Amino acid sequence: MDKLTKCPANYVPLTPLTFIKRAAIVYTNRTSVIYAGVRFTWRQTYQRCCRLASSLRSLNIVKNDVISVLAPNVPALYEMHFAVPMAGAVLNAINTRLDAKNIANILHHSEAKVFFVDYQYVPLASEALRLLVADLEHTSAANYAMPLVIVIDDIHKPTGVRLGKLEYEQLIHHGDPRYFGEEVENEWDSIALNYTSGTTSAPKGVVYSHRGAFLSTMSLIQGWEMSTEPVYMWSLPMFHCNGWTFTWGVAARGGTNVCIRNTSASEMYQAISHHKVTHMCCAPIVFNILLEAKPDERREITSKVNILTGGAPPPPSLLEKMENLGFNVMHAYGLTEATGPALVCEWQTKWNHLSQDHQAKLKSRQGVGILTLSDFDVKIKETMESVPSDGKTMGEIVLRGSSIMKGYLKDEKETEKAFHKGWFFTGDVGVIHPDGYLEIKDRSKDVIISGGENISSVELESVLFKHPSILEAAVVAMPHPRWGESPCAFVVLKTTTENVTEDDILKHCRKNMPKFMVPKKVEFLKELPKTGTGKIQKMELRKIAASFVISTKTNKSWINKVHRDQTWYHQDEEKVLAMSRL
Amino acid sequence: MDKLTKCPANYVPLTPLTFIKRAAIVYTNRTSVIYAGVRFTWRQTYQRCCRLASSLRSLNIVKNDVISVLAPNVPALYEMHFAVPMAGAVLNAINTRLDAKNIANILHHSEAKVFFVDYQYVPLASEALRLLVADLEHTSAANYAMPLVIVIDDIHKPTGVRLGKLEYEQLIHHGDPRYFGEEVENEWDSIALNYTSGTTSAPKGVVYSHRGAFLSTMSLIQGWEMSTEPVYMWSLPMFHCNGWTFTWGVAARGGTNVCIRNTSASEMYQAISHHKVTHMCCAPIVFNILLEAKPDERREITSKVNILTGGAPPPPSLLEKMENLGFNVMHAYGLTEATGPALVCEWQTKWNHLSQDHQAKLKSRQGVGILTLSDFDVKIKETMESVPSDGKTMGEIVLRGSSIMKGYLKDEKETEKAFHKGWFFTGDVGVIHPDGYLEIKDRSKDVIISGGENISSVELESVLFKHPSILEAAVVAMPHPRWGESPCAFVVLKTTTENVTEDDILKHCRKNMPKFMVPKKVEFLKELPKTGTGKIQKMELRKIAASFVISTKTNKSWINKVHRDQTWYHQDEEKVLAMSRL
């Protein structure tokens, strides 16, 4: 047995690059990418990737070099998911909602060799580059040179906006369509670098291997049962865990990528209706955009649209509304470190007979491990014991498998901390139900312990969401002289709301939860404080909540008791994918 | 980048054992296995596997030991697919249609430590063991002891038949349900050993790795779009490439295994109707069993049954008939060395608009590589050049990827021969169509070269199959003084046929193919000569064909001009899966 050795015929490194090469052969003339008036076939997309990869090589890009990009969901960003690793390099798609300082830090930390910038983000990138120059001047160990900047103009309607001398299409034009790409020598080689924002600590550079990316992609197209020829709308930013691996996955399935620059209600409805979208991913906040669209923004949905959602646990009531609108929602749980979704709420046919309300509750669970995740569990970190499958006992969610990141770039300490006794510790708190399905209860730091009782702020938020006037809600711990901690609720009301008081909300709570869980205080905000990636900054809320006890007359300069003008909601692209953990 | 190393949290060996552990958690109380009156849940199946594995360990089974089994598709054989590798051992499922001599050779060559025997095959196994004893007495290097024999009685209705002292259920009973299985240390470790019959050479022991088995399984459940909770009927023997990996695949999807001892029309129709079968695999010859079933054997099919077929290329006319009966057929191509199907004919929605006849033709193609097959191609071996994608130019089908076997056990020469310049050479001849889809044209040795024209015997057979009176057909080369070679057709007629002459067949051929392709001779046989695995022995037919030229009065003692009594067809289980290459 032991004499049978690996050879190039029977041991080929696992890599998502297989998918694009295969797509060029199998799905040759099928539409690969649609963006406004632009359409490509899989043969064209593959050739554009080959051209770009060969141009990158001729720019002296070599193995392990980082290529950063700041762009919305345009074809160029999609192509880079293949072209960059084809050149042997590592793709770093930067969150477009970060500020210049953060972007400069990422370019510096990753030592990016090339920096692609969509024309829309030229002002932001210029500022980041200015900060980076200043940074480098102050760094003694300045063996890192500034990145080569290449602008990505709009491919549908070129604007002429430039930053530096090179434009993306020039690289495509001068590239070699017959360039075959570098062979992936080792499937452990790096393919992508994604920075986490992290609600609790500094950004970290998460590195994926070709192996991990390949296996996650395989698992997710399978776990979501993405069948042949999907029409996939890019409502999820590709910079979120490489679009939860569906950048690679749509190529694997020979699907069509519908690229959209913004996730406004009208743009999404138009794309869904016009291109007969079958699949989309998004954070639950996008549900609100779709649900609250004005009549003239809406279009009839004739195709069956499957939604994979993740990030914040979606309140069952929201899920129910989406189903009523004709969407088929699947819920996933994951994080950057797990190459996107690691668990999906796999539907069981026996649930079909349950009430819609009950179904929505089951759907809001995080579910079970995808096929390439070897193990998931909920453990007490101190003892490494698994919690019982009782749906009640909380512990930390731990994962294990080949789709878990290689580690944090240049951060041995954090890498070691994340990998503990053979498991990756997510920092999230969950329970296991008797049927083996996992349900997230909270971020580690968001459990409220009141009089010895654990209160999940997520659970409490889920009740608040059921109130017809509440748009957003966040619950944090507030110090309490008697109970140690008490829940404090921060809520943002809907535009249509009239005269809702704290008492109204509390009444609703008392009706829908055990007494000990009812918030001791409800505070109305104009908007919730959020990070660059749209995560609610619970730390900020905790600070405010803390001040309530010391003095009820805290400084609330940015707080407006009831905010009645929320038209910004549909206008401000920054808010669109808020709350996403992924 | 290079500092990020593998650890138990982010690098877990790929193995199908993940699927059964996951099934026990995720699909706990769902039905895993049905056999006659016996039903198990996934928790039970997992526990039975744990028990069996622990019993094997206590019988001193260690890593790389071979466990052989001679059984039809009963629950025990299914369980062994997990229990044997859980004990660290290698599963060798032996073709039940082999003779005692062949079985003895396999036990000897594989050095099997344990030999499980289904009660039905006790006489055959006894004879094989007798031959093995004789073999060992004559072998000087007799460091191989006889295997421990364990009988598998019928679990539904125990018969009391024994061979040796141990019975399968005793091992289950005395095993430890909490035994967790040996950790798979290296995904390259061996999981299974399958002997090929091979129409052209001696049997070879094909070894699979855990990695290869895992990846093939993932690809096939995905390529066939096997969605959640499938009801899978075991019409394909599990000893054929471990049931084309669906032994592991059904666990991955949390499906139900419907085990049947025989593939008679009545047993299959009953299972399909009663258990609402959704998926089954089989060779095209099984189509005939279903199509020619008597009225009282038939049952109404209310579920949609997906069939994955392979082995001999199915004639389009046969595919069309199956579709009309309500089956949804997908066609695959593979071989033992590729862990079963390596290419599937992935359906394209644009084909939906074509005529049924045209659709059937497209379906009969072998298609495109599964997702974990890195590459497939058709090459001219001498020059290693790829043939043009013209649907005409023939070459040898070559494959490359991690689902290709580790090699042939104890056969360096054949292993080296199979792996040539980075590819696995299948020995099969094919073409690539302009759309990238592969179509097999012949086994390497079955191309008939007549007057400089290549004639594919498969193509010719496909025309013959369209004749309403023909049940089976095989075409081989016959020496010809003018053209070098000429096609010679051997046909078996249907039972209902009356007075069909050679002229009738030739007329049909002339109407349906170019003149140069028309057979120079049609010979009627009672049955076609076949190997133990049901492959048509074209070598035998070639010998007969060769004699036609030397003398037309050849010895045809076993040939009966027209055979009018074919009731054996439905009775003889040996014939059921004939023609299967897999």
Side-chain angles (χ1 to χ4, degrees):
Chain A
M1 290 284 166
D2 291 334
K3 282 187 188 162
L4 302 171
T5 52
K6 298 169 188 171
C7 75
N10 67 16
Y11 192 95
V12 181
L14 303 175
T15 166
L17 295 181
T18 308
F19 302 143
I20 186 89
K21 288 181 185 171
R22 184 177 174 278
I25 294 168
V26 180
Y27 312 117
T28 320
N29 296 315
R30 257 192 233 170
T31 304
S32 54
V33 175
I34 296 175
Y35 168 73
V38 177
R39 262 172 195 263
F40 294 119
T41 63
W42 279 109
R43 188 208 305 267
Q44 289 171 324
T45 292
Y46 177 59
Q47 284 182 351
R48 286 173 61 86
C49 293
C50 294
R51 285 167 175 272
L52 179 58
S54 79
S55 287
L56 288 171
R57 292 297 285 191
S58 58
L59 290 169
N60 294 322
I61 291 304
V62 294
K63 190 172 161 182
N64 279 347
D65 279 352
V66 171
I67 311 283
S68 294
V69 54
L70 190 68
N73 288 339
V74 289
L77 180 51
Y78 185 78
E79 289 159 1
M80 268 184 249
H81 274 83
F82 299 99
V84 170
M86 275 167 86
V90 179
L91 179 68
N92 168 230
I94 299 176
N95 189 327
T96 55
R97 296 195 267 278
L98 294 177
D99 61 13
K101 182 70 199 145
N102 268 303
I103 294 169
N105 285 348
I106 286 173
L107 293 172
H108 195 172
H109 185 263
S110 68
E111 301 174 38
K113 295 286 185 297
V114 177
F115 182 28
F116 285 95
V117 178
D118 179 81
Y119 82 96
Q120 205 186 335
Y121 294 96
V122 160
L124 179 61
S126 305
E127 175 63 10
L129 290 165
R130 200 186 58 74
L131 293 169
L132 182 60
V133 170
D135 250 22
L136 292 178
E137 277 168 4
H138 288 89
T139 312
S140 52
N143 48 6
Y144 166 56
M146 288 289 287
L148 175 71
V149 178
I150 301 169
V151 85
I152 306 166
D153 203 346
D154 193 88
I155 191 170
H156 174 58
K157 284 188 181 169
T159 61
V161 172
R162 291 293 178 274
L163 182 65
K165 287 178 185 166
L166 288 166
E167 199 274 324
Y168 184 82
E169 289 299 321
Q170 283 174 278
L171 270 71
I172 300 281
H173 182 73
H174 293 293
D176 178 1
R178 288 155 310 174
Y179 175 75
F180 208 68
E182 300 300 300
E183 278 288 325
V184 178
E185 280 162 28
N186 188 328
E187 63 194 36
W188 187 251
D189 285 348
S190 304
I191 189 170
L193 167 66
N194 293 310
Y195 282 82
T196 63
S197 60
T199 39
T200 51
S201 62
K204 295 183 287 253
V206 175
V207 181
Y208 298 163
S209 66
H210 281 258
R211 174 186 169 96
F214 176 92
L215 291 171
S216 292
T217 307
M218 284 290 289
S219 290
L220 284 167
I221 55 178
Q222 192 274 327
W224 196 14
E225 299 190 2
M226 191 189 233
S227 60
T228 197
E229 298 181 51
V231 180
Y232 182 93
M233 181 173 74
W234 279 103
S235 38
L236 176 83
M238 293 186 202
F239 59 70
H240 275 315
C241 311
N242 306 105
W244 297 355
T245 78
F246 289 106
T247 42
W248 302 308
V250 177
R253 296 312 285 117
T256 298
N257 292 280
V258 178
C259 291
I260 51 177
R261 197 170 263 274
N262 302 297
T263 45
S264 65
S266 62
E267 204 161 343
M268 287 195 289
Y269 271 108
Q270 234 165 54
I272 292 170
S273 164
H274 190 65
H275 302 300
K276 302 209 179 303
V277 166
T278 59
H279 291 77
M280 58 182 279
C281 296
C282 64
I285 198 94
V286 173
F287 295 178
N288 283 327
I289 302 178
L290 291 166
L291 287 167
E292 301 196 353
K294 293 169 198 151
D296 64 327
E297 293 171 332
R298 294 193 186 230
R299 294 285 178 285
E300 206 194 341
I301 298 171
T302 51
S303 56
K304 182 185 154 200
V305 186
N306 295 292
I307 296 192
L308 187 67
T309 190
S317 56
L318 203 55
L319 283 177
E320 211 177 312
K321 280 180 201 159
M322 285 300 285
E323 300 274 330
N324 290 341
L325 205 65
F327 290 90
N328 184 21
V329 182
M330 190 176 214
H331 181 210
Y333 161 78
L335 55 184
T336 307
E337 288 87 340
T339 326
L343 288 94
V344 296
C345 188
E346 198 171 303
W347 191 249
Q348 308 212 0
T349 48
K350 67 177 177 197
W351 294 344
N352 288 339
H353 308 292
L354 303 174
S355 70
Q356 205 192 3
D357 177 59
H358 195 167
Q359 286 190 13
K361 253 182 217 141
L362 290 169
K363 272 205 179 177
S364 72
R365 290 186 185 168
Q366 279 64 23
V368 295
I370 57 172
L371 276 179
T372 54
L373 188 79
S374 300
D375 268 311
F376 69 94
D377 204 350
V378 174
K379 283 185 181 290
I380 308 299
K381 196 168 185 174
E382 292 68 30
T383 60
M384 288 305 284
E385 266 176 48
S386 302
V387 301
S389 303
D390 57 9
K392 286 177 201 162
T393 313
M394 295 196 219
E396 188 166 345
I397 301 171
V398 294
L399 310 172
R400 209 166 72 89
S402 292
S403 42
I404 303 296
M405 64 164 179
K406 292 173 72 169
Y408 298 117
L409 184 66
K410 300 194 263 182
D411 198 339
E412 265 177 67
K413 210 183 110 206
E414 286 294 328
T415 303
E416 257 176 49
K417 220 172 93 184
F419 296 139
H420 181 63
K421 296 199 176 170
W423 292 88
F424 168 69
F425 277 75
T426 63
D428 290 334
V429 173
V431 298
I432 302 274
H433 286 279
D435 64 0
Y437 277 54
L438 183 145
E439 188 175 354
I440 187 172
K441 286 293 172 179
D442 234 311
R443 296 285 299 170
S444 283
K445 300 214 169 171
D446 292 344
V447 175
I448 302 158
I449 305 174
S450 188
E453 292 285 350
N454 286 346
I455 299 175
S456 155
S457 59
V458 175
E459 228 169 274
L460 218 156
E461 282 155 19
S462 148
V463 173
L464 288 169
F465 271 117
K466 281 189 175 166
H467 192 284
S469 306
I470 290 179
L471 180 74
E472 286 189 284
V475 176
V476 297
M478 176 173 74
H480 193 280
R482 185 163 179 195
W483 308 114
E485 285 179 346
S486 277
C488 171
F490 292 88
V491 300
V492 177
L493 296 177
K494 287 184 188 166
T495 45
T496 48
T497 307
E498 294 196 22
N499 288 329
V500 174
T501 65
E502 183 172 9
D503 258 1
D504 299 338
I505 305 290
L506 290 175
K507 249 182 232 163
H508 168 79
C509 288
R510 282 188 209 107
K511 237 197 295 183
N512 291 291
M513 62 180 73
K515 204 180 156 197
F516 78 91
M517 280 179 65
V518 174
K520 292 286 170 291
K521 181 153 188 63
V522 177
E523 190 67 14
F524 296 92
L525 300 185
K526 179 179 165 180
E527 56 183 304
L528 297 176
K530 288 182 188 141
T531 66
T533 52
K535 283 184 197 175
I536 296 168
Q537 288 184 298
K538 290 210 166 176
M539 280 173 301
E540 292 304 315
L541 295 176
R542 268 186 218 105
K543 280 183 206 161
I544 302 167
S547 70
F548 286 149
V549 177
I550 301 156
S551 151
T552 47
K553 289 199 191 298
T554 179
N555 173 21
K556 287 181 277 178
S557 66
W558 63 279
I559 300 178
N560 179 347
K561 273 286 180 195
V562 181
H563 174 59
R564 304 223 173 267
D565 178 16
Q566 289 197 326
T567 50
W568 58 265
Y569 194 74
H570 298 300
Q571 288 163 359
D572 193 345
E573 192 251 347
E574 296 286 332
K575 305 289 188 306
V576 161
L577 277 142
M579 291 176 67
S580 169
R581 287 201 53 236
L582 288 161
Chain B
M1 290 284 167
D2 292 333
K3 282 188 188 160
L4 301 170
T5 51
K6 297 169 189 172
C7 73
N10 67 15
Y11 194 96
V12 181
L14 303 175
T15 165
L17 295 181
T18 309
F19 303 142
I20 186 90
K21 288 182 186 171
R22 184 177 174 277
I25 295 168
V26 179
Y27 312 117
T28 320
N29 296 316
R30 257 192 234 169
T31 304
S32 54
V33 175
I34 297 175
Y35 168 73
V38 176
R39 263 173 194 264
F40 293 119
T41 64
W42 279 109
R43 189 207 304 268
Q44 289 171 322
T45 293
Y46 177 59
Q47 284 182 351
R48 286 174 61 86
C49 292
C50 294
R51 285 169 176 271
L52 178 59
S54 79
S55 287
L56 288 172
R57 292 297 285 191
S58 59
L59 290 170
N60 294 321
I61 292 303
V62 295
K63 191 171 161 182
N64 280 347
D65 279 352
V66 170
I67 310 283
S68 294
V69 52
L70 188 68
N73 288 338
V74 290
L77 180 50
Y78 185 77
E79 289 159 1
M80 268 184 248
H81 274 84
F82 298 99
V84 169
M86 277 167 85
V90 178
L91 179 67
N92 168 229
I94 300 177
N95 189 326
T96 56
R97 296 195 266 277
L98 294 177
D99 61 14
K101 182 71 197 145
N102 268 302
I103 294 169
N105 285 347
I106 286 174
L107 293 172
H108 195 173
H109 186 263
S110 67
E111 300 174 39
K113 294 286 186 296
V114 177
F115 182 28
F116 285 95
V117 178
D118 178 82
Y119 83 93
Q120 204 185 337
Y121 294 95
V122 161
L124 180 62
S126 305
E127 175 62 11
L129 289 165
R130 200 186 59 74
L131 292 170
L132 182 60
V133 170
D135 251 20
L136 293 178
E137 277 168 3
H138 287 89
T139 312
S140 53
N143 49 6
Y144 166 56
M146 288 290 286
L148 175 71
V149 177
I150 301 169
V151 86
I152 306 167
D153 203 346
D154 193 88
I155 191 170
H156 174 57
K157 283 189 183 168
T159 60
V161 172
R162 290 293 177 273
L163 183 64
K165 286 180 187 166
L166 289 166
E167 199 274 324
Y168 184 82
E169 288 299 321
Q170 281 174 279
L171 270 70
I172 300 281
H173 182 73
H174 293 294
D176 179 2
R178 290 155 309 175
Y179 176 74
F180 208 67
E182 299 300 301
E183 278 287 325
V184 177
E185 280 163 27
N186 189 329
E187 63 194 37
W188 187 250
D189 285 348
S190 304
I191 188 171
L193 167 65
N194 294 309
Y195 282 82
T196 63
S197 62
T199 38
T200 52
S201 61
K204 296 185 287 254
V206 174
V207 181
Y208 298 163
S209 66
H210 281 257
R211 173 187 170 94
F214 176 92
L215 291 170
S216 292
T217 306
M218 284 291 288
S219 291
L220 284 168
I221 56 179
Q222 192 276 324
W224 195 14
E225 299 189 2
M226 191 190 233
S227 60
T228 196
E229 299 182 50
V231 180
Y232 183 93
M233 180 173 75
W234 280 103
S235 39
L236 178 82
M238 293 187 203
F239 59 69
H240 274 316
C241 311
N242 306 105
W244 297 356
T245 77
F246 289 106
T247 41
W248 301 308
V250 176
R253 297 312 285 117
T256 299
N257 292 281
V258 178
C259 291
I260 51 177
R261 197 170 262 274
N262 301 297
T263 45
S264 64
S266 62
E267 203 161 344
M268 286 195 289
Y269 271 108
Q270 232 164 57
I272 292 170
S273 165
H274 189 66
H275 302 300
K276 301 210 181 304
V277 166
T278 60
H279 292 77
M280 60 183 277
C281 295
C282 64
I285 198 97
V286 173
F287 295 178
N288 284 328
I289 302 178
L290 291 166
L291 287 166
E292 301 197 353
K294 293 170 198 150
D296 64 326
E297 293 170 333
R298 293 192 188 232
R299 293 286 178 285
E300 208 193 342
I301 298 172
T302 51
S303 57
K304 182 184 153 203
V305 186
N306 295 291
I307 296 193
L308 187 67
T309 189
S317 55
L318 203 55
L319 283 177
E320 212 176 310
K321 280 180 203 160
M322 285 301 285
E323 300 275 327
N324 289 340
L325 206 65
F327 290 90
N328 184 22
V329 182
M330 190 177 214
H331 182 209
Y333 161 77
L335 54 184
T336 307
E337 287 88 339
T339 326
L343 288 94
V344 295
C345 188
E346 198 171 302
W347 191 248
Q348 308 212 0
T349 48
K350 67 177 177 197
W351 294 345
N352 288 340
H353 308 291
L354 302 174
S355 70
Q356 204 191 4
D357 177 58
H358 196 167
Q359 285 190 15
K361 254 183 215 141
L362 288 167
K363 273 206 178 176
S364 73
R365 290 184 186 170
Q366 279 64 23
V368 295
I370 58 172
L371 276 178
T372 54
L373 188 78
S374 300
D375 268 311
F376 69 94
D377 204 351
V378 174
K379 283 185 181 289
I380 308 299
K381 196 168 187 174
E382 291 69 31
T383 62
M384 286 306 283
E385 266 175 48
S386 302
V387 300
S389 302
D390 58 9
K392 285 177 199 162
T393 314
M394 296 196 218
E396 188 166 343
I397 301 171
V398 294
L399 311 172
R400 209 167 71 89
S402 291
S403 42
I404 303 296
M405 65 164 179
K406 292 174 72 169
Y408 299 116
L409 184 66
K410 300 195 262 182
D411 197 339
E412 266 177 67
K413 208 184 112 204
E414 285 295 327
T415 302
E416 258 177 49
K417 219 171 95 184
F419 297 139
H420 181 62
K421 296 197 175 171
W423 292 88
F424 167 69
F425 278 75
T426 62
D428 290 335
V429 173
V431 298
I432 302 274
H433 286 279
D435 64 0
Y437 278 55
L438 182 145
E439 189 176 352
I440 188 172
K441 285 292 172 179
D442 233 312
R443 295 285 299 169
S444 283
K445 301 210 169 174
D446 292 345
V447 176
I448 302 158
I449 305 175
S450 188
E453 292 286 349
N454 286 346
I455 298 174
S456 154
S457 60
V458 175
E459 229 170 272
L460 217 156
E461 282 156 16
S462 148
V463 172
L464 288 170
F465 272 116
K466 281 189 177 166
H467 191 285
S469 306
I470 290 180
L471 179 76
E472 284 189 285
V475 176
V476 297
M478 175 172 74
H480 193 279
R482 186 165 176 190
W483 307 114
E485 284 180 347
S486 277
C488 172
F490 292 87
V491 302
V492 177
L493 296 177
K494 287 184 188 165
T495 45
T496 48
T497 307
E498 294 197 20
N499 287 331
V500 174
T501 65
E502 183 174 10
D503 258 0
D504 298 337
I505 304 292
L506 291 175
K507 251 183 231 163
H508 167 79
C509 288
R510 282 188 209 107
K511 239 199 295 187
N512 291 290
M513 61 179 73
K515 205 181 154 196
F516 78 91
M517 279 180 66
V518 174
K520 293 287 170 288
K521 182 154 189 60
V522 178
E523 190 69 13
F524 296 92
L525 300 184
K526 179 181 168 182
E527 56 183 303
L528 296 177
K530 286 181 189 142
T531 67
T533 51
K535 284 185 197 174
I536 296 168
Q537 289 183 299
K538 290 209 166 175
M539 281 173 299
E540 292 303 316
L541 296 176
R542 268 186 218 105
K543 280 184 207 160
I544 302 167
S547 71
F548 287 148
V549 177
I550 301 156
S551 152
T552 48
K553 290 197 189 301
T554 179
N555 174 22
K556 288 180 279 178
S557 64
W558 62 278
I559 301 177
N560 180 346
K561 274 283 179 195
V562 179
H563 173 60
R564 306 221 171 269
D565 178 16
Q566 288 196 329
T567 49
W568 59 265
Y569 193 75
H570 297 299
Q571 289 163 357
D572 192 345
E573 191 251 348
E574 296 287 290
K575 305 291 188 305
V576 160
L577 276 143
M579 291 177 67
S580 168
R581 286 201 54 233
L582 288 161

